[in-house]
Coordinates of all heavy atoms in Angstrom, one line a residue:
T1 N 139.6 172.2 142.8 CA 139.9 172.2 144.2 C 139.7 170.8 144.8 O 139.0 169.9 144.2 CB 138.9 173.1 145.0 OG1 137.6 172.7 144.9 CG2 139.1 174.6 144.5
I2 N 140.3 170.6 145.9 CA 140.3 169.2 146.6 C 138.8 168.9 147.1 O 138.4 167.8 147.0 CB 141.3 169.1 147.7 CG1 141.4 167.7 148.2 CG2 140.9 170.0 148.9 CD1 142.0 166.8 147.2
G3 N 138.1 170.0 147.4 CA 136.7 169.7 147.8 C 135.9 169.2 146.7 O 135.1 168.3 146.8
G4 N 136.1 169.8 145.5 CA 135.4 169.4 144.3 C 135.8 167.9 143.9 O 135.0 167.1 143.5
N5 N 137.1 167.7 144.1 CA 137.6 166.3 143.8 C 137.0 165.3 144.6 O 136.7 164.2 144.2 CB 139.2 166.3 144.0 CG 140.0 167.1 143.0 OD1 141.2 167.2 143.1 ND2 139.3 167.6 142.0
V6 N 136.8 165.6 145.9 CA 136.2 164.7 146.8 C 134.7 164.5 146.4 O 134.2 163.4 146.4 CB 136.3 165.2 148.3 CG1 135.4 164.3 149.2 CG2 137.7 165.1 148.8
A7 N 134.0 165.5 146.1 CA 132.7 165.5 145.7 C 132.4 164.6 144.5 O 131.4 163.9 144.4 CB 132.1 166.9 145.5
E8 N 133.3 164.7 143.6 CA 133.1 163.9 142.3 C 133.9 162.7 142.2 O 133.8 161.9 141.2 CB 133.5 164.9 141.1 CG 132.8 166.2 141.1 CD 131.3 166.1 140.9 OE1 130.9 165.0 140.3 OE2 130.6 166.9 141.3
N9 N 134.8 162.4 143.2 CA 135.7 161.3 143.2 C 136.6 161.3 141.9 O 136.6 160.4 141.1 CB 135.0 160.0 143.2 CG 136.0 158.8 143.5 OD1 137.1 159.0 144.0 ND2 135.5 157.6 143.2
S10 N 137.3 162.5 141.8 CA 138.1 162.7 140.5 C 139.3 161.7 140.4 O 139.7 161.2 141.4 CB 138.6 164.1 140.5 OG 137.5 165.1 140.6
G11 N 139.7 161.5 139.2 CA 140.8 160.6 138.9 C 142.0 161.3 138.3 O 142.7 162.0 138.9
G12 N 142.2 161.2 136.9 CA 143.3 161.8 136.3 C 144.1 160.7 135.5 O 143.7 159.5 135.5
V13 N 145.1 161.2 134.8 CA 145.8 160.4 133.9 C 146.6 159.3 134.6 O 147.0 158.3 134.0 CB 146.7 161.2 132.9 CG1 145.9 162.1 132.1 CG2 147.8 161.9 133.7
H14 N 146.9 159.5 135.9 CA 147.7 158.5 136.6 C 146.9 157.7 137.5 O 147.4 157.0 138.5 CB 148.8 159.2 137.4 CG 149.9 159.8 136.4 ND1 149.9 161.1 136.1 CD2 151.0 159.2 135.9 CE1 150.9 161.3 135.2 NE2 151.6 160.2 135.1
C15 N 145.5 157.7 137.4 CA 144.7 157.0 138.4 C 144.8 155.5 138.2 O 144.5 154.7 139.1 CB 143.3 157.4 138.2 SG 142.5 157.0 136.6
L16 N 145.2 155.0 137.1 CA 145.3 153.5 136.8 C 146.3 152.9 137.9 O 146.0 151.9 138.5 CB 145.8 153.2 135.5 CG 146.1 151.7 135.1 CD1 144.7 151.0 135.2 CD2 146.6 151.6 133.7
K17 N 147.4 153.5 138.1 CA 148.4 153.0 139.1 C 148.2 153.5 140.5 O 148.3 152.8 141.5 CB 149.8 153.4 138.6 CG 150.9 152.8 139.5 CD 152.3 153.1 138.9 CE 153.4 152.5 139.7 NZ 154.7 152.7 139.1
Y18 N 147.8 154.8 140.6 CA 147.7 155.4 142.0 C 146.3 155.6 142.5 O 146.2 156.0 143.7 CB 148.4 156.7 141.9 CG 149.9 156.6 141.6 CD1 150.5 156.9 140.3 CD2 150.8 156.2 142.6 CE1 151.8 156.6 140.1 CE2 152.1 156.0 142.4 CZ 152.7 156.3 141.1 OH 154.0 156.1 140.9
G19 N 145.3 155.3 141.8 CA 144.0 155.3 142.3 C 143.3 156.7 142.1 O 143.9 157.7 141.8
L20 N 142.0 156.7 142.4 CA 141.1 157.8 142.4 C 141.2 158.6 143.7 O 141.9 158.2 144.6 CB 139.7 157.4 142.1 CG 139.4 156.6 140.8 CD1 138.0 155.9 140.9 CD2 139.6 157.5 139.6
T21 N 140.4 159.6 143.8 CA 140.4 160.4 145.1 C 140.1 159.6 146.3 O 140.7 159.7 147.3 CB 139.4 161.6 144.9 OG1 139.7 162.4 143.9 CG2 139.4 162.4 146.2
V22 N 139.1 158.6 146.1 CA 138.7 157.9 147.2 C 139.8 157.0 147.8 O 139.8 156.7 149.0 CB 137.5 156.9 146.9 CG1 137.9 155.9 145.9 CG2 136.8 156.3 148.1
H23 N 140.9 156.7 147.0 CA 142.0 155.9 147.4 C 143.1 156.8 148.1 O 144.1 156.3 148.6 CB 142.6 155.1 146.3 CG 141.5 154.2 145.6 ND1 141.2 154.4 144.2 CD2 140.8 153.2 146.0 CE1 140.2 153.6 143.9 NE2 140.1 152.8 144.9
N24 N 142.9 158.1 148.0 CA 144.0 159.0 148.4 C 143.6 160.0 149.4 O 144.4 160.9 149.7 CB 144.5 159.7 147.1 CG 145.4 158.8 146.2 OD1 146.5 158.6 146.4 ND2 144.7 158.3 145.2
V25 N 142.4 159.9 149.9 CA 141.9 160.8 151.0 C 141.7 159.9 152.2 O 141.0 158.9 152.2 CB 140.6 161.5 150.6 CG1 140.0 162.3 151.8 CG2 140.9 162.4 149.4
L26 N 142.3 160.4 153.4 CA 142.2 159.6 154.6 C 141.0 160.1 155.5 O 140.4 159.4 156.1 CB 143.5 159.7 155.4 CG 144.7 159.0 154.8 CD1 146.0 159.5 155.5 CD2 144.5 157.5 154.9
R27 N 140.9 161.4 155.5 CA 140.0 162.1 156.5 C 139.3 163.3 155.8 O 140.0 164.0 155.1 CB 140.7 162.4 157.7 CG 140.0 163.3 158.7 CD 140.9 163.8 159.9 NE 140.4 164.9 160.5 CZ 140.5 166.2 160.2 NH1 141.3 166.4 159.1 NH2 140.1 167.2 160.8
V28 N 138.1 163.5 156.1 CA 137.3 164.7 155.6 C 136.6 165.3 156.8 O 136.0 164.6 157.6 CB 136.4 164.3 154.5 CG1 135.4 165.5 154.2 CG2 137.1 164.0 153.2
R29 N 136.7 166.6 156.9 CA 135.9 167.4 157.9 C 134.9 168.2 157.1 O 135.1 168.8 156.0 CB 136.8 168.2 158.7 CG 136.0 169.2 159.7 CD 137.1 170.0 160.5 NE 136.4 171.0 161.2 CZ 135.8 170.9 162.4 NH1 135.8 169.7 163.0 NH2 135.2 171.8 163.1
G30 N 133.6 168.4 157.7 CA 132.7 169.2 157.0 C 131.5 169.5 158.0 O 131.6 169.3 159.2
Y31 N 130.4 169.9 157.4 CA 129.2 170.3 158.1 C 128.0 169.7 157.5 O 127.9 169.7 156.2 CB 129.0 171.8 158.2 CG 130.1 172.4 159.1 CD1 131.4 172.7 158.7 CD2 129.8 172.6 160.5 CE1 132.3 173.2 159.5 CE2 130.7 173.1 161.4 CZ 132.0 173.5 160.9 OH 133.0 173.9 161.7
T32 N 127.0 169.3 158.3 CA 125.8 168.8 157.8 C 124.9 169.9 157.3 O 125.2 171.1 157.6 CB 125.0 167.9 158.8 OG1 124.6 168.8 159.9 CG2 125.9 166.9 159.4
V33 N 123.8 169.7 156.8 CA 122.9 170.7 156.3 C 122.4 171.6 157.5 O 122.0 172.7 157.4 CB 121.7 170.1 155.5 CG1 120.8 169.3 156.4 CG2 120.9 171.2 154.8
E34 N 122.4 170.9 158.7 CA 121.9 171.7 159.9 C 123.0 172.5 160.5 O 122.8 173.1 161.6 CB 121.4 170.7 161.0 CG 120.1 169.9 160.6 CD 120.4 168.6 159.9 OE1 121.6 168.3 159.6 OE2 119.5 167.8 159.8
G35 N 124.2 172.4 159.9 CA 125.4 173.2 160.4 C 126.1 172.5 161.6 O 126.9 173.1 162.3
E36 N 126.0 171.2 161.7 CA 126.6 170.4 162.7 C 128.0 169.9 162.1 O 128.0 169.4 161.0 CB 125.8 169.2 163.1 CG 126.5 168.3 164.1 CD 125.7 167.0 164.3 OE1 124.6 166.8 163.8 OE2 126.2 166.1 165.1
A37 N 129.1 170.0 162.9 CA 130.4 169.6 162.4 C 130.4 168.1 162.4 O 130.0 167.4 163.4 CB 131.5 170.2 163.4
V38 N 131.0 167.5 161.3 CA 131.2 166.1 161.2 C 132.5 165.7 160.6 O 133.2 166.6 159.9 CB 130.0 165.4 160.3 CG1 128.7 165.4 161.0 CG2 130.0 166.2 159.0
E39 N 133.0 164.5 160.9 CA 134.3 164.0 160.4 C 134.0 162.6 159.8 O 133.3 161.9 160.4 CB 135.4 164.0 161.4 CG 135.9 165.4 161.7 CD 137.2 165.4 162.5 OE1 137.9 164.3 162.6 OE2 137.7 166.4 163.0
F40 N 134.7 162.4 158.7 CA 134.6 161.0 158.1 C 136.0 160.5 158.0 O 137.0 161.2 157.6 CB 134.0 161.1 156.7 CG 132.6 161.7 156.8 CD1 132.4 163.0 156.7 CD2 131.4 160.9 157.0 CE1 131.1 163.6 156.7 CE2 130.2 161.5 157.0 CZ 130.0 162.8 156.9
G41 N 136.2 159.2 158.2 CA 137.6 158.6 158.1 C 138.5 159.0 159.2 O 138.0 159.5 160.3
S42 N 139.7 158.8 159.1 CA 140.7 159.2 160.2 C 142.1 159.2 159.5 O 142.3 158.9 158.4 CB 140.7 158.2 161.3 OG 141.4 157.0 160.9
E43 N 143.1 159.7 160.3 CA 144.4 159.8 159.8 C 145.1 158.5 159.9 O 146.3 158.3 159.4 CB 145.2 160.9 160.5 CG 144.6 162.3 160.2 CD 145.5 163.4 160.7 OE1 146.6 163.1 161.2 OE2 145.1 164.6 160.7

């Protein structure tokens, strides 16, 4: 899943040219351990 890919910064056989997950994700939404909504990055 994409959530797991973000957690592990997954790559793949084409990462040499196109980059890892960190190079291909613009924005992430989630929740802190206290249940507070947070966003990282932007579109």
Side-chain angles (χ1 to χ4, degrees):
T1 63
I2 191 65
N5 290 174
V6 171
E8 305 298 334
N9 192 22
S10 302
V13 300
H14 291 95
C15 65
L16 177 62
K17 182 173 181 178
Y18 294 101
L20 303 165
T21 298
V22 70
H23 305 114
N24 288 275
V25 174
L26 291 169
R27 169 188 160 274
V28 166
R29 174 179 170 83
Y31 287 84
T32 67
V33 68
E34 295 95 346
E36 177 187 356
V38 287
E39 287 194 7
F40 303 89
S42 75
E43 295 188 9

